[in-house]
């Protein structure tokens, strides 16, 4: 559940805003509509470097490349990138196209869609998936070790049974019974440990 501060920050940017780059002037103009994005003046023409402060530096090269390819190929483009407003980072799906006038490209227009909730949901799903894979690995290890530790005393008992069938000396038989009792006791202790472990995993950590 989001805190009041997070909800307030989420209001800083709506579902989308429009923008256009003037190729000749090398400026970008943003249309935020009715929403108020701190640091962004609606309708103002920004120097591209100035506006790029809202975009993570790790995505600057990708953004430039997408725009250059769109201009070179006179085609539409799409890029998903983070967009930082105050302390909150939003994820934007930027889509647009180039505008030509008299055969020359004059503008690049785009619309930035806020897909933060979608990205957050995908990241949460990936995290849950990683946790599930880890649990499956731990379960496989647990089953393997449990099966091994259960079979060991049973194998001892079966071996003693074979010896007892061939033995007639009461004293030796009594020794075999003692050994069987130890194996059964060991098996019972191990089963109790499994039961306690299972119970403990369901209790809150202290």
């Amino acid at each position: 559940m989001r805190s009041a501060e997070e909800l307030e920050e989420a209001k800083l940017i709506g579902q989308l805003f429009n923008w256009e780059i003037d190729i000749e002037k090398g400026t970008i103009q943003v249309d935020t509509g009715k929403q108020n994005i701190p640091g962004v003046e609606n309708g103002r023409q920004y120097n591209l470097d100035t506006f790029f402060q809202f975009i993570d530096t790790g995505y600057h090269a990708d953004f430039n490349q997408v725009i250059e390819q769109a201009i070179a190929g006179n085609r539409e483009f799409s890029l998903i990138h983070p967009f930082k407003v105050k302390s909150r980072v939003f994820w934007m799906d930027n889509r647009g196209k180039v505008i030509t006038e008299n055969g020359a490209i004059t503008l690049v227009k785009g619309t930035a869609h806020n897909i933060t909730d979608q990205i957050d949901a995908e990241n949460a799903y990936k995290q849950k998936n990683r946790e599930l894979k880890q649990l499956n690995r731990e379960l496989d290890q647990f089953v393997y070790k449990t099966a091994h530790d259960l079979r060991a005393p049973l194998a001892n008992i079966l071996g003693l049974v074979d010896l007892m069938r061939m033995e007639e000396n009461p004293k030796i038989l009594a020794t075999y019974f003692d050994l069987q009792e130890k194996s059964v006791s060991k098996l019972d202790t191990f089963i109790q440990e499994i039961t306690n472990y299972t119970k403990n995993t369901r209790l809150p950590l202290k």
Side-chain angles (χ1 to χ4, degrees):
M1 185 175 179
R2 291 183 179 179
S3 66
E5 183 178 355
E6 288 177 323
L7 290 173
E8 187 63 29
E9 288 181 344
K11 295 178 183 178
L12 297 176
I13 188 166
Q15 287 304 305
L16 58 86
F17 62 85
N18 300 315
W19 56 267
E20 66 177 40
I21 295 176
D22 188 310
I23 302 298
E24 184 177 350
K25 295 179 180 179
T27 58
I28 182 171
Q29 182 173 317
V30 179
D31 179 9
T32 61
K34 295 181 180 180
Q35 50 190 331
N36 176 31
I37 304 178
V40 179
E41 295 182 30
N42 189 30
R44 175 184 169 184
Q45 289 190 340
Y46 285 90
N47 177 280
L48 289 177
D49 291 336
T50 302
F51 192 78
F52 262 45
Q53 66 181 319
F54 295 101
I55 301 174
D56 187 282
T57 54
Y59 287 79
H60 287 186
D62 293 337
F63 201 96
N64 285 328
Q65 183 179 18
V66 166
I67 297 298
E68 288 173 0
Q69 289 176 347
I71 293 174
N74 193 13
R75 61 174 183 264
E76 296 182 352
F77 60 88
S78 176
L79 176 67
I80 294 176
H81 63 85
F83 188 86
K84 187 173 182 179
V85 178
K86 293 181 65 177
S87 60
R88 180 93 164 108
V89 176
F90 298 88
W91 281 92
M92 311 303 294
D93 181 3
N94 243 316
R95 300 185 181 187
K97 60 183 178 180
V98 296
I99 305 299
T100 59
E101 184 177 333
N102 297 325
I105 298 174
T106 57
L107 298 174
V108 179
K109 288 190 174 184
T111 300
H113 297 260
N114 185 357
I115 60 170
T116 306
D117 289 342
Q118 176 185 333
I119 295 295
D120 288 346
E122 290 176 358
N123 289 337
Y125 170 77
K126 290 177 182 178
Q127 177 62 27
K128 289 294 182 182
N129 196 36
R130 286 192 293 268
E131 292 174 358
L132 181 59
K133 288 181 179 179
Q134 177 63 25
L135 286 174
N136 284 335
R137 285 193 293 268
E138 292 176 358
L139 179 60
D140 288 342
Q141 294 173 357
F142 176 76
V143 170
Y144 174 80
K145 186 178 186 305
T146 301
H148 176 270
D149 289 348
L150 284 173
R151 286 178 59 87
L154 289 174
N156 289 337
I157 293 172
L158 290 173
L160 290 169
V161 168
D162 289 338
L163 292 175
M164 293 171 69
R165 283 174 176 164
M166 298 182 292
E167 185 60 58
E168 296 180 357
N169 189 323
K171 291 184 178 180
I172 297 177
L173 284 173
T175 302
Y176 288 158
F177 278 121
D178 290 340
L179 292 173
Q180 278 187 326
E181 185 178 8
K182 289 180 179 179
S183 293
V184 172
S185 177
K186 183 178 180 181
L187 185 60
D188 181 61
T189 299
F190 183 69
I191 292 174
Q192 290 180 18
E193 289 176 351
I194 294 176
T195 303
N196 292 334
Y197 172 79
T198 304
K199 288 180 180 179
N200 287 337
T201 57
R202 299 177 185 274
L203 294 175
L205 182 65
K206 292 185 180 180

